[in-house]
Amino acid sequence: MSAPLLEARQLRRHFPVPGRLFRPSTQTVKAVDGVDLHVARSETLGLVGESGCGKSTLGRMLVRLDRPTAGELFFEGENIGDLDETALKPVRRKVQMVFQNPYASLNPRQTLGDTICEPLVVHRVGTPESRRKRALELLDIVGLQPEHYARYPHQLSGGQRQRIGIARALALEPRLIVCDEPVSALDVSIQSQILNLLTDLQGRFGLSYVFISHDLRVVEHIADRVAVMYLGRIVEEAPVATLFARPLHPYTQALISAIPLADPARPTPEVILEGGVPNPIDPPRGCHFHPRCPLAEDRCRVETPDLVGTQEHKVRCWVVNRELASSS
Amino acid sequence: MTPALDASVQVRSAPPVLSVRNLHAHLHLGDTVVRAVDGVSFDLPAGATLSIVGESGCGKSMTALAILGLLPQPAGRITEGEVWLDGVGDLARLDQRALRRVRGNAVSMVFQDPMTSLNPVFRVGWQIAEAIRMHETVSREEARRRAIELLELVGIPSPSVRCDAFPHQLSGGMRQRVMIAIALARRPKVMLADEPTTALDVTIQAQVLRLMKRLQQDSGAALLLITHDLGVVAQMAQRVCVMYAGVIVEESAVGDLFADPLHPYTRGLLASMPKPRHGAARQALISIPGTVPPLSRLPAGCRFAGRCAHVFSKCREAEPPLVPVAGDLGPGARKVRCWLHVGSEAA
Ligand SMILES: Nc1ncnc2c1ncn2[C@@H]1O[C@H](COP(=O)(O)OP(=O)(O)OP(=O)(O)O)[C@@H](O)[C@H]1O
Ligand SMILES: Nc1ncnc2c1ncn2[C@@H]1O[C@H](COP(=O)(O)OP(=O)(O)OP(=O)(O)O)[C@@H](O)[C@H]1O
Ligand code: SF4
Ligand SMILES: [Mg+2]
Ligand SMILES: [Mg+2]
């Protein structure tokens, strides 16, 4: 196997818990708690998991918008986990992010045209005239009109803003884009156009994506491999077809069975996940999933399972791994 | 439970709590006029869920904002139409003070973008408690206790700690749930929810949707649900309006819409849904070719004509009306805005 484009080893990011006045807090949120992953050239890694499990935090570290609390991060073989802003500049040109919250990530005082051109200006690419042309081209690519060039972010609908975020990420023709819920605000027809565009660019330029989404049908369509996160850790990782055909981790199984069907005559099964949502401030001991897990046994409540399995399909679960070991 | 069956019962019996009539909301940018909402009518019966789906940028959020008198200022204005709220009157004619009272009580809204509607400088628990105290006289401690309870109901872990967090310290999905908690705190008669679950994973989404359904059952609240997720529409709504470029192009019971979409845009939309791959190689997704016309320069005829596979000469000459399809009359009728479906009795 050739060296991956991006590789993370035991990445962590911890946040202090907000305290109250005169009661500063000593607790931390372990938003990302030891993640290993890799992304090859021309590959799409899907990243799914419960809301608040750390996907955006992980994504921001992968593009080095945030500095990891611990762990290593390699891009094209270079350790970029610790680089400072100057040293990062050439990397920034090659990795981009589409943000989950398009509104907060757009400068309200900048026209959309200037917003899209900004990365080109920062990296001194082209002339004002060529940048303008490129911005208009990108507007068209994401299904917006030339008249949007001079508009401001607040003058757009939610889905239009999301597409500006995509256009901006594409401007520098990066090698890797971390897409955080890039199509969640789009109707399915425009969603199709954008997904087809991403696939097409990948085919032409060998782009790689980390694709974060709650829409599992979209992930199934776009991803080559999928990593499932639960409370700061990856609990399962497999090629997309395997994951959807034979999910192993009990959390992945619950997730896949909760996809709402677009069929009014077939109600979605009541969610099988019992118990409260886990607390990243004080995560359960042992396997983080054990309080809600139908398979949990004594060991799960005290010891943390590792992410193990074959090169292809890895899962973090005592019971599943024991059964796999005994059946092989 | 089959939502489609309840629908016909509910829709025919319950009087609307909210009735939108020929609503026009335009945005003025210098010399251009963006016709974001261009003659929209619908009824929302008590206890029912009506969904609005449609192309990104077609005016769904502006419809909801116009109902509540929250159009972007100074650009936005209701230029025509009425918004009847049961027991209150025509909201389009109320002044801002009266509207603020309506928003604090009878109608609440979950906004598409939680970051713009949550106040960044206040802790989220305080914001929920304020919403409670706006329509009930309770002590601060009691309001805080109820806020924590609501955070728990919407599935936020360790709510008593999270209640002291600032919005930026929460994940996207948590913020969205804080918005929902604020909307629920008001115990509204009508809830307008604009993409309320897009940032939630499917298991929490299911939990939040169940919570909204329970609220509807307990208090008879009506829900106007704007969403791109057709799975959510199928599971929640009894009726659906499909919008395209500022107008409703199809309106029907949810079962009929999925079983037999009539408008070419609706058909294209349903066909664009990604299907389970079952391990097959990736194929390009179906999408509707072309783009929506700018709302500031709409064509003369049918707004979909430029992208429609069935377009014929009449489509380019005049805009089709939204009329009941042949043989289907009465309040639960299917309606469609397409020359292909204008029967003799409608003319
Ligand atoms: N700046 C911050 N300060 C404190 N805690 C934070 C901060 N940013 C994120 N967190 C916490 O880290 C955890 C992970 O958040 P993150 O945004 O990565 O989740 P996510 O998986 O992207 O969720 P979602 O699907 O809802 O977007 C959450 O518990 C969140 O509250
Ligand atoms: N402040 C504004 N000034 C001018 N035009 C605006 C303004 N806000 C929105 N628009 C335009 O009004 C139209 C309708 O916007 P709206 O937000 O209602 O769309 P939407 O149907 O909710 O789309 P989405 O699904 O993407 O959220 C859009 O084309 C948008 O560009
Ligand atoms: S009116 Fe004509 S152009 Fe419009 S949707 Fe119907 S067939 Fe297509
Ligand atoms: Mg996120
Ligand atoms: Mg909207």
Side-chain angles (χ1 to χ4, degrees):
Chain A
M1 210 177 75
S2 64
L5 181 70
L6 181 82
E7 185 176 6
R9 292 191 201 145
Q10 286 300 303
L11 271 195
R12 283 170 213 276
R13 185 153 167 89
H14 298 175
F15 295 107
V17 170
R20 301 188 72 192
L21 203 57
F22 308 123
R23 268 200 276 150
S25 162
T26 50
Q27 293 171 299
T28 56
V29 178
K30 295 180 176 158
V32 175
D33 201 23
V35 163
D36 294 308
L37 60 76
H38 59 97
V39 187
R41 276 193 180 76
S42 273
E43 187 187 40
T44 302
L45 175 71
L47 191 59
V48 303
E50 188 150 63
S51 167
C53 73
K55 302 178 298 294
S56 300
T57 308
L58 175 59
R60 291 177 58 90
M61 277 194 289
L62 294 180
V63 301
R64 269 307 317 270
L65 282 170
D66 289 330
R67 191 184 284 268
T69 310
E72 291 172 310
L73 181 64
F74 295 89
F75 179 75
E76 293 183 332
E78 181 189 9
N79 189 344
I80 62 164
D82 260 341
L83 296 186
D84 60 20
E85 214 31 63
T86 334
L88 271 175
K89 196 158 181 202
V91 177
R92 294 235 178 276
R93 211 184 143 156
K94 297 184 201 164
V95 296
Q96 291 288 317
M97 179 148 183
V98 178
F99 294 93
Q100 178 170 15
N101 182 340
Y103 197 70
S105 65
L106 299 176
N107 179 345
R109 285 176 222 290
Q110 215 174 29
T111 64
L112 302 169
D114 288 343
T115 301
I116 297 175
C117 289
E118 191 181 19
L120 299 170
V121 175
V122 170
H123 291 277
R124 300 171 204 272
V125 178
T127 62
E129 204 30 56
S130 75
R131 291 198 282 261
R132 193 188 141 78
K133 246 186 80 204
R134 176 87 178 127
L136 286 168
E137 186 182 295
L138 285 161
L139 279 175
D140 182 56
I141 279 184
V142 296
L144 294 173
Q145 284 117 11
E147 68 174 62
H148 290 120
Y149 188 96
R151 294 248 189 110
Y152 291 89
H154 73 271
Q155 296 170 332
L156 293 188
S157 78
Q160 290 169 337
R161 280 176 210 151
Q162 206 168 33
R163 286 179 274 166
I164 294 294
I166 294 170
R168 183 174 58 180
L170 293 174
L172 284 168
E173 300 177 2
R175 316 288 331 198
L176 172 83
I177 307 182
V178 172
C179 304
D180 193 356
E181 297 283 356
V183 293
S184 62
L186 304 179
D187 63 274
V188 283
S189 171
I190 292 182
Q191 172 178 293
S192 295
Q193 288 176 5
I194 298 284
L195 295 177
N196 288 344
L197 169 73
L198 293 180
T199 311
D200 179 53
L201 292 173
Q202 183 163 61
R204 281 199 287 163
F205 304 112
L207 256 172
S208 305
Y209 303 111
V210 174
F211 197 97
I212 302 172
S213 176
H214 286 306
D215 190 327
L216 297 168
R217 287 278 163 257
V218 166
V219 171
E220 184 182 11
H221 172 79
I222 197 94
D224 300 306
R225 274 185 310 121
V226 182
V228 182
M229 262 181 100
Y230 191 83
L231 217 58
R233 297 175 182 160
I234 289 176
V235 296
E236 184 161 3
E237 195 197 305
V240 67
T242 317
L243 192 95
F244 279 84
R246 208 165 73 95
L248 291 178
H249 197 283
Y251 175 66
T252 316
Q253 290 173 349
L255 205 58
I256 288 179
S257 69
I259 303 176
L261 298 169
D263 179 355
R266 287 168 58 202
T268 314
E270 289 286 290
V271 191
I272 37 280
L273 269 188
E274 303 280 331
V277 180
N279 177 359
I281 296 166
D282 180 19
R285 281 186 70 196
C287 169
H288 283 170
F289 190 59
H290 85 252
R292 303 165 86 186
C293 181
L295 306 180
E297 34 187 68
D298 287 345
R299 185 177 198 185
C300 311
R301 295 183 186 98
V302 278
E303 277 180 82
T304 305
D306 286 331
L307 183 67
V308 290
T310 60
Q311 180 71 28
E312 287 255 284
H313 197 166
K314 294 193 177 70
V315 58
R316 190 190 285 281
C317 169
W318 288 123
V319 179
V320 171
N321 277 317
R322 188 181 60 226
E323 282 169 8
L324 287 179
S326 67
S327 69
S328 67
Chain B
M1 197 187 76
T2 53
L5 284 183
D6 308 345
S8 43
V9 179
Q10 262 169 348
V11 166
R12 275 164 227 266
S13 53
V17 268
L18 181 73
S19 188
V20 173
R21 290 279 147 265
N22 193 29
L23 183 65
H24 291 255
H26 295 175
L27 299 153
H28 298 260
L29 298 176
D31 295 340
T32 32
V33 180
V34 177
R35 284 150 68 185
V37 183
D38 210 21
V40 162
S41 304
F42 57 80
D43 285 333
L44 182 57
T49 300
L50 173 77
S51 230
I52 302 184
V53 302
E55 178 108 353
S56 166
C58 72
K60 302 180 295 295
S61 298
M62 288 305 146
T63 302
L65 294 175
I67 289 172
L68 285 176
L70 289 174
L71 286 171
Q73 292 306 320
R77 199 168 318 140
I78 293 182
T79 53
E80 207 183 322
E82 292 143 32
V83 179
W84 292 100
L85 180 67
D86 184 38
V88 176
D90 182 2
L91 301 186
R93 266 167 236 288
L94 295 186
D95 60 23
Q96 274 306 327
R97 249 186 77 193
L99 279 168
R100 214 169 305 136
R101 215 163 335 149
V102 169
R103 292 196 294 263
N105 289 297
V107 187
S108 63
M109 172 141 183
V110 178
F111 294 90
Q112 182 166 14
D113 189 342
M115 261 329 232
T116 52
S117 40
L118 287 174
N119 192 325
V121 302
F122 291 110
R123 300 176 193 268
V124 295
W126 186 88
Q127 299 190 46
I128 302 171
E130 275 309 283
I132 295 171
R133 284 161 56 86
M134 232 174 113
H135 70 103
E136 265 179 88
T137 29
V138 292
S139 67
R140 278 185 198 285
E141 293 70 42
E142 170 66 8
R144 181 179 158 92
R145 201 185 54 72
R146 293 249 298 271
I148 293 174
E149 210 173 274
L150 277 163
L151 284 175
E152 182 154 27
L153 271 176
V154 295
I156 303 262
S158 48
S160 53
V161 178
R162 294 304 181 136
C163 128
D164 291 320
F166 292 100
H168 78 271
Q169 293 170 323
L170 299 178
S171 80
M174 289 174 181
R175 280 178 215 143
Q176 210 168 29
R177 281 175 281 165
V178 169
M179 285 294 309
I180 293 171
I182 290 176
L184 295 178
R186 303 197 163 119
R187 309 221 172 123
K189 269 204 290 196
V190 177
M191 199 156 135
L192 310 182
D194 194 355
E195 301 284 354
T197 59
T198 35
L200 304 182
D201 65 273
V202 286
T203 64
I204 293 182
Q205 168 171 283
Q207 185 183 340
V208 166
L209 293 178
R210 246 185 305 161
L211 184 69
M212 293 204 273
K213 268 193 191 162
R214 205 166 71 215
L215 172 90
Q216 284 187 288
Q217 277 154 9
D218 294 351
S219 67
L223 176 63
L224 182 71
L225 179 65
I226 299 174
T227 178
H228 287 306
D229 189 327
L230 296 169
V232 170
V233 174
Q235 302 299 321
M236 290 291 286
Q238 288 95 43
R239 267 184 97 72
V240 191
C241 292
V242 182
M243 268 185 91
Y244 186 82
V247 293
I248 292 175
V249 294
E250 180 157 6
E251 187 196 326
S252 85
V254 69
D256 293 340
L257 191 94
F258 282 89
D260 179 24
L262 295 178
H263 196 282
Y265 172 69
T266 317
R267 292 194 178 169
L269 195 66
L270 292 178
S272 306
M273 273 191 286
K275 318 262 173 322
R277 253 162 89 187
H278 300 302
R282 183 179 305 128
Q283 284 184 329
L285 294 164
I286 296 173
S287 69
I288 305 169
T291 52
V292 61
L295 292 171
S296 53
R297 277 178 286 115
L298 289 166
C302 169
R303 296 169 193 221
F304 191 59
R307 306 168 75 184
C308 181
H310 306 280
V311 58
F312 57 107
S313 57
K314 190 163 187 183
C315 310
R316 305 218 189 257
E317 285 155 18
E319 178 161 22
L322 180 68
V323 288
V325 297
D328 200 353
L329 294 168
R334 294 192 79 165
K335 295 181 196 150
V336 59
R337 187 189 287 279
C338 168
W339 287 120
L340 290 174
H341 296 279
V342 176
S344 46
E345 60 268 66

